[in-house]
């Protein structure tokens, strides 16, 4: 019963966002092309299991109770990619590739070696293509309407507040993995950012 109450409270806070921390050096929500979370660029053919991890840092160093983000696939005609939350996730709402998802844990996750696994990616090659980007971005409809929380974010372990912590800049790309890269791709394998004006234009394209 105690666990159920904690899950309910964590989820309610995830949606309402009681308080917030605003910084972009608070770890990263990272997409990888392998299950172990070590490769964020490389060739893919057939079917491959990738992964999504929360790399703890800054305000998330002590752990997280949830995350909110989306992943965009730059060429879904060539590679079908879907996300499945890790079995350790207690609540999973939405679709990471269709607007975004919210994940919540029943208790504070401090991870192993500073990393918490959020889920797996199932990557299926439909047609060969190069420089396909899987990009972590803010949820299309953030749980907190505050403009300063329009970011990929995590929830802290500060019961009962479960502070919402931006891990990306507001209205910005956050992380990119690259399938079949033809060369060096700027901003892969590390947190990245684009100017808010540029990201506004990108959002307009997706909404049309």
């Amino acid at each position: 019963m105690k666990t159920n109450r904690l899950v309910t409270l964590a989820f309610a806070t995830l949606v309402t966002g009681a308080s917030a921390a605003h910084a972009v050096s608070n770890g990263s929500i990272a997409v990888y092309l392998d299950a172990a979370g070590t490769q964020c660029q490389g060739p893919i053919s057939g079917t491959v299991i990738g992964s999504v991890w929360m790399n703890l840092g800054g305000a998330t160093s002590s752990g997280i109770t949830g995350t909110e983000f989306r992943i965009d696939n730059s060429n879904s005609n060539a590679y079908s990619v879907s996300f499945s939350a890790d079995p350790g996730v207690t609540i999973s709402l939405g679709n990471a590739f269709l607007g975004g998802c919210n994940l919540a844990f029943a208790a504070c996750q401090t991870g192993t070696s500073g990393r918490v696994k959020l889920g797996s990616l199932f990557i299926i090659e439909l047609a060969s293509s190069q420089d396909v980007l899987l990009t972590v971005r803010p949820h299309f409809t953030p749980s907190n309407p505050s403009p300063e929380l329009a970011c990929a974010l995590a929830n802290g372990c500060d019961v009962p507040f479960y502070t919402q912590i931006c891990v990306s800049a507001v209205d910005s790309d956050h992380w990119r993995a690259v399938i079949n890269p033809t060369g060096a791709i700027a901003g892969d394998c590390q947190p990245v950012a684009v100017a808010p004006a540029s990201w506004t234009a990108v959002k307009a394209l997706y909404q049309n």
Side-chain angles (χ1 to χ4, degrees):
M1 183 65 74
K2 181 179 180 181
T3 297
N4 290 338
R5 287 198 299 270
L6 177 59
V7 171
T8 300
L9 179 58
F11 175 66
T13 308
L14 183 67
V15 172
T16 59
S19 58
H22 315 296
V24 295
S25 57
N26 294 322
S28 57
I29 297 172
V31 172
Y32 296 94
L33 305 181
D34 65 325
T38 62
Q39 304 295 322
C40 57
Q41 61 171 311
I44 284 184
S45 61
T47 301
V48 172
I49 304 298
S51 56
V52 181
W53 296 75
M54 178 71 208
N55 297 318
L56 304 176
T60 67
S61 294
S62 59
I64 61 168
T65 54
T67 56
E68 177 180 295
F69 62 93
R70 88 172 192 272
I71 307 172
D72 284 342
N73 177 355
S74 69
N75 192 344
S76 58
N77 291 323
Y79 289 90
S80 170
V81 188
S82 59
F83 172 79
S84 177
D86 188 76
V89 172
T90 307
I91 298 174
S92 177
L93 296 178
N95 185 321
F97 286 91
L98 290 175
C101 64
N102 298 78
L103 309 178
F105 296 93
C108 181
Q109 303 295 301
T110 56
T112 301
S113 299
R115 309 179 79 204
V116 177
K117 189 170 185 181
L118 301 179
S120 298
L121 294 178
F122 298 91
I123 308 170
I124 302 173
E125 181 186 40
L126 304 176
S128 181
S129 184
Q130 296 176 315
D131 298 328
V132 177
L133 302 179
L134 301 180
T135 305
V136 177
R137 290 172 169 148
H139 199 295
F140 252 130
T141 54
S143 57
N144 190 314
S146 173
E148 57 192 6
L149 281 171
C151 58
L153 60 81
N155 286 80
C157 295
D158 52 336
V159 180
F161 303 106
Y162 300 98
T163 296
Q164 291 185 308
I165 303 164
C166 279
V167 299
S168 76
V170 170
D171 286 337
S172 173
D173 288 1
H174 174 53
W175 182 282
R176 299 187 190 115
V178 189
I179 298 173
N180 299 336
T182 55
I185 305 295
D188 63 340
C189 307
Q190 60 186 317
V192 298
V194 297
S198 299
W199 179 229
T200 298
V202 171
K203 286 196 291 187
L205 289 174
Y206 273 88
Q207 290 168 344
N208 290 335

